[in-house]
Amino acid sequence: MTEPPPKPTREIAPYELRAASEVDEQDIERLYDEVFGPGRFAKTAERLREGNQRIEAACFVASDAGGLVGSVQFWPLMIGGRPGGVLLGPLGIAPRRRGDGIAFKLMEAGIAVCAERGDLAVILVGDEPYYARAGFAKTEAGRFQMPGPVDERRILVRELNAKAGSLNGALSVPRATRRTS
Ligand SMILES: CC(C)(COP(=O)(O)OP(=O)(O)OC[C@H]1O[C@@H](n2cnc3c(N)ncnc32)[C@H](O)[C@@H]1OP(=O)(O)O)[C@@H](O)C(=O)NCCC(=O)NCCS
């Protein structure tokens, strides 16, 4: 049997992937503003970030000679009153570096940290055709409830552990991580 021809490989300009730190904060906000515009704080998923505290170890950035080009963040979630859920987002890549596979690398790095921590499932609101390539899938209708309006077909989950199957219910911010200010 003849082998299929090798896929043409394209030269990807170098970039660095690393854990996000405090010094990246302004650049990350600038990138998210550029990518999502001012409407980003109106999204329902934002209700699960307000008053929440990021899982710092799982947040990654990518940068190249021109500066910060990608960022992904992860947030702890209660699911039906039980811990073990994680919200992925925002995930944003600077327009000039899209299609270089950076988003997948950022997601994989963060999800590996979540799995290592023992988190059970990562949830996001996004386009299924894209996130399916990172192991996310739609779940049965009504399994998770967001704290506001959202197209339910865009609620996607990647289970990290067999115990995740029993998780269902309202998604909420863990009390222990709520900021008082
Ligand atoms: C979506 C996004 C994060 C992808 O980043 P990226 O680093 O370019 O992604 P990758 O290089 O890993 O993957 C690119 C591939 O995904 C595809 N893709 C991108 N967005 C897609 C979408 N919404 N639906 C289906 N496929 C999509 C691209 O066409 C490309 O396909 P190819 O590999 O066959 O050429 C980036 O385009 C972005 O920041 N977009 C604006 C913000 C956004 O939509 N964020 C996610 C929602 S929370």
Side-chain angles (χ1 to χ4, degrees):
M1 219 166 71
T2 49
E3 290 287 316
K7 280 190 175 176
T9 50
R10 182 169 63 84
E11 190 83 12
I12 304 280
Y15 66 90
E16 182 198 23
L17 194 91
R18 58 184 165 77
S21 75
E22 267 177 44
V23 298
D24 299 310
E25 204 68 35
Q26 282 190 352
D27 290 338
I28 292 171
E29 289 306 307
R30 209 174 295 130
L31 175 72
Y32 286 158
D33 282 345
E34 179 191 2
V35 168
F36 298 103
R40 72 180 171 109
F41 294 110
K43 291 184 175 187
T44 291
E46 191 60 27
R47 308 284 83 76
L48 294 170
R49 293 191 273 265
E50 280 170 347
N52 205 341
Q53 280 182 8
R54 287 185 299 253
I55 303 169
E56 298 291 352
C59 297
F60 282 83
V61 292
S63 57
D64 66 10
L68 193 106
V69 293
S71 171
V72 68
Q73 299 183 336
F74 293 82
W75 308 77
L77 279 185
M78 300 293 278
I79 304 178
R82 290 166 60 195
V86 173
L87 177 75
L88 185 161
L91 168 66
I93 302 294
R96 68 184 175 83
R97 292 305 306 256
R98 289 192 189 154
D100 284 352
I102 299 176
F104 284 124
K105 293 273 190 232
L106 286 170
M107 283 193 278
E108 283 314 315
I111 291 169
V113 172
C114 295
E116 183 79 10
R117 279 166 32 106
D119 290 315
L120 303 181
V122 181
I123 293 174
L124 60 81
V125 181
D127 293 342
E128 196 261 349
Y130 176 71
Y131 287 103
R133 293 164 64 172
F136 287 85
K138 281 186 267 208
T139 189
E140 63 266 32
R143 179 177 174 194
F144 302 123
Q145 294 98 51
M146 294 288 291
V150 64
D151 177 350
E152 211 177 3
R153 291 164 302 182
R154 290 172 54 79
I155 303 178
L156 308 176
V157 62
R158 175 166 158 183
E159 298 187 350
L160 304 178
N161 184 302
K163 290 184 200 152
S166 65
L167 289 174
N168 61 74
L171 307 185
S172 61
V173 174
R175 277 183 192 285
T177 65
R178 268 184 199 282
R179 286 192 221 111
T180 47
S181 58

